[in-house]
Amino acid sequence: MKYHLVKVGALIGAATLVGLSISPAAAAPTAAQATANGLTLAIAGSPVSTGDVKATNDGSGEKVTGEKNPPISVLKNQDVLDIGVIAQDATAKIENKNGVSRACAGVAGDGATVADVGESNCLTPGDPVGVTIANLDLTGAVLINPESALGGLSALNPVLDQIVAPITAAITNALAPFKTTGLTGTLGAVQARCVANPSSAQGTANIADSKLQLDLAGNKIDLLEFPANPDPNTKVVTDLDQVLDTILDAVRVDLNNTLNGVLAPLGQVIQALQQTIVDTLIADIADQLAPLEENILDATLNKQSTSQGGKKVSVTALDLHLLPAAQKFGAPSLLDLSLASVSCGPNGRVQGPDNPDNPDNPDNPDGPNGPNGPNGPNGPGGPNVPTTVDAGANADNGLNEGALIAGLLMLGGAAGMIGYRRLLAR
Amino acid sequence: MKLRLPSASALRDPRSWVIVGLVVVGLALVIWALLPSDSPVRKVVGTDTDEAPSAEEKVPDTPDKGPDEILVPSLKIKAPLIPIELETDGVLTPPADTDVVGWWDGSAEPGSGKGQTVVTGHTVSTGGGVMNELPKLDIGSVVQVRDEGKVYDYRTTGVFKLSKEEVADASQNLFGQQGGHGRLVLVTCTDYHDGEYDSNIIVWAEPIKGGGGRSDDA
């Protein structure tokens, strides 16, 4: 008996779990949806975001959550971006039973103004957005790996083994100035838009007057000059050879200075050895710096991805990762920036404006509420609800033609009778 | 040229009075026909639509039945509501006066909590109809209905454009009285092409909690 009770209890529990797992599926399907985010920034793993605006519509009405024009204060105390205006908006409508969603997001400097979603632009540009990424610390992320940098020294004679420590320090010191290195630049209005219907989704991005520069120990290097209307998934190509050369030159000078002191007691004979050491170290460091060319800055303009068979699109106007290679060392990227991100779809159709699960839905033509059912317009009792609402009036030009014709006919008849009587009177 | 007054014998002639009658009635018809369509005289006397029966014809015997006034503050709509009947062929026609909104007398009265309150008003192709601006209504906008000294507040939850065929297909959902839970449904026409309206604008507005039947002077 006890066994049966346990068995029944287990069955009830299982049925409850199954029911709970099924119940979300019974909710009304989302016919239209869109999301917009003006800015998401993570500095060394610490996120700052303007939040999302989400619009959904299941056929019973549009629901929109989130702040459309968040105050700049949401960006907190970060000094990376000097932004004046943030716009993020989304809509989800039912148009002719089709779910149609739109989203728009963008940022601009002071003086910019915000437009409605669905307009050609979210923002009209104002001042450029200032970009300043100070303390670009290259040393801890990708540049220094003393063991491998010094690996070539092991082939040298044991005397040189004694100077491993000073040389390691020299390299570290040589790169120390780069701690003050920074990324600076300006961004014009940056924005992304998308629109989706039940069959497709499209997105665009616009970036105006934007460029980035890298400061390396006082040397400014143009990194990027963004195109205004980039094609989807435009990877920014940077001329990082200049960056590499600048760093290596600095290291070479510092190594020579250091070795001059360390190797001075060995006299002129050591000159060739010094050159060998420097060249070896530079070659090794260059290998260490090689990933810099690929990994110091990973920027994608008009980053787009589609899913759900092309019915959903996600667009980010500017997707930027600074020192993504740091992740190889278990650290977060120095900076991850998603500027103006939107997504639209996937959307569907609704069975009329009402929820298709509504019992009133006349999907079944012979059902109680179907067109042929007892309550339907073709049912035995004829229509009991309006099937046509004739609420449109054709504006005439102010004339009532029927009345005008009748009046003119009467006047004509009267004139005829008068004339006839005069004729008889003669 | 001298003005000749009719002689006494002429005035006794019945044919003279026929002529006078024709002139008077003919002139009246011509003057009336030449009045602008939005003239108060025209509006009081009759309809400016071809088929729409006059509002007076549609007022049921119980004049107190149904709500009295509808207000859509965001669209500056403030219009009297009068009951209208469903025609036998399933056509619901607003009052002929394009400044007046009709309440379908087969639909729920405001505040009933069941069914749907269906109201409809004209869109005029050149503007000026009471519901011309309805397509511009935003989700969340407030709509108010006055009925016997009470105000019923609604919040717009949906604005749909449906073709005439789609309206017919979904008529039970749109106007049926078995669901809705007191929803307010506003209807007008749109998509004017070649003298015909191809679509309807349907607005759904749900009763606002606490806004169901507060005193008019609240």
Side-chain angles (χ1 to χ4, degrees):
Chain A
M1 181 67 184
K2 189 177 178 182
Y3 172 76
H4 283 292
L5 282 175
V6 171
K7 194 173 178 182
V8 169
L11 282 173
I12 291 172
T16 304
L17 285 174
V18 169
L20 285 172
S21 65
I22 289 173
S23 55
T30 301
Q33 53 195 318
T35 303
N37 171 261
L39 180 150
T40 296
L41 173 70
I43 304 170
S46 300
V48 175
S49 176
T50 57
D52 289 348
V53 172
K54 291 183 180 176
T56 57
N57 195 323
D58 62 5
S60 64
E62 184 185 48
K63 296 181 180 64
V64 181
T65 59
E67 185 65 46
K68 292 182 179 180
N69 298 116
I72 302 303
S73 58
V74 301
L75 299 179
K76 299 178 182 172
N77 296 323
Q78 61 84 27
D79 53 5
V80 172
L81 295 165
D82 177 23
I83 287 177
V85 176
I86 302 165
Q88 48 188 31
D89 199 0
T91 63
K93 308 275 190 189
I94 306 298
E95 298 177 5
N96 287 333
K97 293 186 180 178
N98 294 319
V100 178
S101 57
R102 295 179 175 85
C104 191
V107 299
D110 289 333
T113 54
V114 180
D116 290 335
V117 62
E119 301 283 333
S120 56
N121 289 305
C122 300
L123 293 162
T124 54
D127 295 337
V129 174
V131 181
T132 306
I133 304 169
N135 299 318
L136 178 59
D137 185 356
L138 304 179
T139 58
V142 292
L143 303 182
I144 298 300
N145 187 342
E147 291 184 5
S148 61
L150 296 170
L153 292 175
S154 61
L156 301 175
N157 64 54
V159 174
L160 292 179
D161 287 343
Q162 298 174 18
I163 61 171
V164 167
I167 289 178
T168 302
I171 294 172
T172 303
N173 291 336
L175 293 174
F178 299 135
K179 287 185 178 178
T180 59
T181 295
L183 192 66
T184 60
T186 57
L187 303 172
V190 177
Q191 51 194 316
R193 291 180 290 127
C194 64
V195 59
N197 57 36
S199 58
S200 65
Q202 292 88 35
T204 57
N206 177 265
I207 300 170
D209 301 328
S210 300
K211 66 177 181 181
L212 288 179
Q213 289 181 315
L214 186 66
D215 283 350
L216 276 174
N219 296 321
K220 282 198 172 184
I221 302 167
D222 286 338
L223 274 185
L224 310 170
E225 191 146 348
F226 297 142
N229 295 298
D231 291 332
N233 299 311
T234 298
K235 276 282 184 184
V236 174
V237 178
T238 55
D239 186 12
L240 285 173
D241 282 348
Q242 297 178 62
V243 180
L244 195 60
D245 290 345
T246 304
I247 293 173
L248 292 181
D249 286 348
V251 171
R252 188 186 302 275
V253 169
D254 208 86
L255 274 176
N256 275 316
N257 290 339
T258 302
L259 289 175
N260 280 339
V262 172
L263 302 179
L266 300 179
Q268 294 294 323
V269 181
I270 301 303
Q271 186 64 41
L273 180 59
Q274 180 177 348
Q275 190 63 47
T276 303
I277 292 172
V278 171
D279 289 347
T280 303
L281 285 173
I282 289 296
D284 208 345
I285 291 171
D287 287 344
Q288 296 298 313
L289 294 177
L292 186 70
E293 288 190 73
E294 300 170 0
N295 294 324
I296 187 173
L297 188 65
D298 177 12
T300 307
L301 310 180
N302 193 4
K303 183 179 181 181
Q304 291 199 13
S305 63
T306 56
S307 57
Q308 311 269 339
K311 295 179 181 178
K312 179 181 180 181
V313 66
S314 298
V315 183
T316 298
L318 173 58
D319 182 72
L320 188 146
H321 304 277
L322 197 63
L323 295 180
Q327 293 170 6
K328 295 177 184 174
F329 299 88
S333 298
L334 182 62
L335 184 142
D336 296 299
L337 173 66
S338 292
L339 212 53
S341 297
V342 292
S343 74
C344 292
N347 293 350
R349 283 174 57 82
V350 295
Q351 301 294 320
D354 208 351
N355 184 334
D357 296 333
N358 189 319
D360 292 342
N361 195 319
D363 277 351
N364 178 4
D366 299 319
N369 296 317
N372 302 327
N375 299 322
N378 304 325
N384 66 345
V385 297
T387 53
T388 302
V389 181
D390 191 9
N394 302 334
D396 53 40
N397 57 4
L399 298 176
N400 185 314
E401 293 174 0
L404 183 61
I405 291 170
L408 290 174
L409 282 174
M410 285 184 180
L411 289 175
M417 290 182 73
I418 292 170
Y420 179 68
R421 289 192 64 186
R422 284 188 176 176
L423 196 63
L424 289 178
R426 285 182 182 173
Chain B
M1 181 178 174
K2 291 174 67 179
L3 178 64
R4 284 203 322 175
L5 295 173
S7 64
S9 60
L11 290 175
R12 284 194 295 270
D13 186 345
R15 286 175 297 185
S16 298
W17 290 106
V18 170
I19 293 171
V20 170
L22 284 173
V23 170
V24 169
V25 174
L27 279 174
L29 283 171
V30 168
I31 291 169
W32 183 72
L34 292 174
L35 283 172
S37 59
D38 58 355
S39 159
V41 176
R42 287 275 296 269
K43 286 191 173 181
V44 168
V45 174
T47 173
D48 59 350
T49 55
D50 293 339
E51 298 174 4
S54 72
E56 288 77 3
E57 291 169 355
K58 298 211 141 206
V59 176
D61 295 336
T62 51
D64 290 341
K65 188 181 179 188
D68 306 317
E69 189 178 47
I70 185 167
L71 299 96
V72 187
S74 64
L75 299 180
K76 295 184 171 58
I77 293 175
K78 182 180 181 183
L81 273 167
I82 64 172
I84 53 175
E85 293 177 347
L86 181 62
E87 294 164 33
T88 54
D89 56 358
V91 177
L92 187 67
T93 307
D97 187 337
T98 57
D99 289 337
V100 176
V101 176
W103 164 71
W104 173 37
D105 64 0
S107 69
E109 295 206 35
S112 67
K114 296 179 180 176
Q116 308 189 81
T117 302
V118 180
V119 300
T120 177
H122 271 300
T123 286
V124 179
S125 58
T126 54
V130 66
M131 294 284 190
N132 265 61
E133 302 298 311
L134 197 63
K136 298 177 182 174
L137 190 62
D138 289 327
I139 304 295
S141 298
V142 171
V143 180
Q144 296 176 315
V145 176
R146 294 182 194 274
D147 186 10
E148 295 182 350
K150 292 183 176 179
V151 178
Y152 297 87
D153 296 324
Y154 299 84
R155 191 173 304 285
T156 304
T157 56
V159 179
F160 311 101
K161 187 173 90 171
L162 302 178
S163 69
K164 296 282 187 181
E165 293 74 20
E166 289 171 329
V167 169
D169 289 346
S171 57
Q172 284 290 346
N173 278 343
L174 293 171
F175 312 120
Q177 296 303 305
Q178 295 181 340
H181 308 293
R183 174 191 292 144
L184 177 66
V185 183
L186 292 83
V187 191
T188 192
C189 280
T190 191
D191 273 352
Y192 181 74
H193 301 294
D194 300 326
E196 298 288 336
Y197 287 87
D198 296 334
S199 306
N200 285 116
I201 294 292
I202 313 279
V203 169
W204 279 355
E206 303 294 339
I208 296 175
K209 282 186 179 178
R214 60 187 165 84
S215 175
D216 200 357
D217 54 3

